[in-house]
Amino acid sequence: MDWNEIQNFSSNIVFGILLFALVAYWVNLALFRNSNLLAKIGRFSTIIANGLLFFILGSRWIVAGYFPLSNLYESLLFLTCMLLTIYLYIETKTKSKLIGSVLIPVTLLINGFANLTLSPEMQKSSPLVPALQSNWLMMHVSMMLLSYGTLIIGSLLSILFLVISRFKEIDLKIVDNSSLPLYNIMLDYYEAKLVGPSTEISELGKIKLLQSIDNWSYRIIGLGFPFLTIGIISGGVWANEAWGSYWSWDPKETWALITWLVFATYLHARITKGWEGKKTAILGGLGFFVIWICYLGVNFLGKGLHSYGWLS
């Protein structure tokens, strides 16, 4: 068994572990008032899966001799690793069982696409094409994927806000929730649901939950936006070095600019206009789909300067 086969086998194990973690999180969410055993199992499984992804990426780096971001398969594994790392950090801070139930399905789909859809040839490490033999490879692609990871999580929380609020306008200023962790907010809400959805305590718990989701979505998108900006700028410098032009209106470049504008609008609306709740959640939710068009969609829909290796 050569290195590629070992790495592919390890990646398949990651898929199985993530599937197990997903079942644990969802069952735990359904049995919220029971013990935290399933939540701990889900978290431990996620840590193991992330550790295996670090092993796969690290071994590809050592064997191939370059940072493992040269093709679509490697970028998908790197994105999954980033999503899991950011998620584990957020879960440590919030003690939330809800975020894992929302995010693990996304990482499972990404890993499944990488392992089950891409051909074995696309999964192998191969020598870098001349355009990728640059020190800018690590800087540009890692920043872009780090931005994708953070913005995807922030956008998912925006979508979660819309689902829980049922697209209704909610006044989030009627409760001061800044000091409460998301875990306690969720506990308040789910315990309140036992009293009945029409009661005052149930509505208060729901508003607390929505307020916390809205706040975390804003903070995570605010973290991801500078990464996206640095990624686009470094890509322009690399493009000038490789092709003699900072900007060529390549499909990937165009959609990266659209992604930047969507999240710039989101942050502008929050910072200068004081928007929150439903309006910003719609912008954030829109950003989720724009990111995937930028990352994968343009590779399926047309050719461009970024088509070699299906790079992100």
Side-chain angles (χ1 to χ4, degrees):
M1 184 178 287
D2 61 17
W3 268 110
N4 284 311
E5 292 175 339
I6 293 174
Q7 291 164 357
N8 292 343
F9 178 72
S10 300
S11 188
N12 289 328
I13 292 177
V14 170
F15 180 81
I17 294 174
L18 288 176
L19 182 60
F20 178 75
L22 175 63
V23 172
Y25 275 115
W26 280 6
V27 171
N28 183 72
L29 192 63
L31 306 175
F32 189 84
R33 290 175 60 83
N34 288 2
S35 70
N36 293 327
L37 177 61
L38 285 175
K40 291 179 180 179
I41 291 174
R43 177 179 171 80
F44 183 67
S45 301
T46 305
I47 293 173
I48 293 176
N50 207 29
L52 279 173
L53 285 172
F54 271 110
F55 163 76
I56 295 168
L57 292 170
S59 63
R60 289 178 81 95
W61 191 352
I62 294 171
V63 172
Y66 57 80
F67 196 64
L69 287 174
S70 64
N71 56 35
L72 180 61
Y73 177 73
E74 291 174 345
S75 73
L76 286 167
L77 294 186
F78 189 85
L79 178 60
T80 306
C81 189
M82 287 296 97
L83 285 169
L84 292 177
T85 301
I86 297 168
Y87 153 66
L88 288 170
Y89 172 77
I90 295 172
E91 189 186 61
T92 301
K93 290 294 184 181
T94 64
K95 308 300 181 184
S96 168
K97 303 172 184 176
L98 182 61
I99 298 178
S101 304
V102 175
L103 182 63
I104 296 301
V106 176
T107 60
L108 187 66
L109 287 173
I110 295 172
N111 190 262
F113 176 74
N115 290 310
L116 305 177
T117 304
L118 300 183
S119 66
E121 288 301 316
M122 293 187 69
Q123 297 181 22
K124 290 181 179 180
S125 297
S126 57
L128 290 175
V129 298
L132 297 181
Q133 294 175 5
S134 170
N135 292 328
W136 288 104
L137 172 65
M138 183 187 299
M139 175 68 174
H140 168 60
V141 184
S142 63
M143 282 295 102
M144 291 301 294
L145 288 174
L146 188 56
S147 73
Y148 291 162
T150 49
L151 294 175
I152 284 172
I153 293 176
S155 299
L156 272 175
L157 290 177
S158 292
I159 294 173
L160 180 63
F161 180 97
L162 293 173
V163 171
I164 294 176
S165 67
R166 299 179 181 178
F167 286 84
K168 295 179 181 178
E169 195 68 54
I170 306 291
D171 185 4
L172 301 178
K173 296 179 180 178
I174 64 175
V175 231
D176 179 13
N177 192 39
S178 57
S179 61
L180 289 177
L182 187 56
Y183 172 83
N184 288 338
I185 295 165
M186 290 171 58
L187 187 59
D188 290 344
Y189 177 53
Y190 281 95
E191 287 182 342
K193 293 296 285 183
L194 298 177
V195 180
S198 61
T199 62
E200 181 179 349
I201 186 173
S202 178
E203 286 304 311
L204 181 62
K206 180 178 179 180
I207 292 172
K208 287 180 179 181
L209 174 63
L210 290 172
Q211 190 181 56
S212 184
I213 291 173
D214 183 68
N215 181 46
W216 269 101
S217 176
Y218 172 43
R219 291 167 66 179
I220 296 170
I221 289 175
L223 174 65
F225 185 74
F227 293 141
L228 179 62
T229 305
I230 295 171
I232 291 174
I233 293 173
S234 61
V237 176
W238 187 11
N240 184 61
E241 180 184 287
W243 303 317
S245 173
Y246 288 100
W247 196 267
S248 306
W249 292 107
D250 175 76
K252 182 76 76 173
E253 295 173 347
T254 303
W255 276 98
L257 177 61
I258 293 172
T259 305
W260 189 90
L261 289 173
V262 168
F263 287 106
T265 303
Y266 173 95
L267 293 173
H268 174 76
R270 293 207 66 132
I271 296 171
T272 65
K273 300 295 184 181
W275 286 14
E276 62 180 7
K278 177 184 174 182
K279 291 185 288 188
T280 50
I282 290 174
L283 282 173
L286 173 64
F288 178 80
F289 299 100
V290 172
I291 290 171
W292 285 109
I293 294 174
C294 177
Y295 178 44
L296 290 180
V298 294
N299 294 96
F300 286 111
L301 297 176
K303 294 290 183 180
L305 295 171
H306 291 75
S307 59
Y308 46 77
W310 290 48
L311 195 60
S312 62

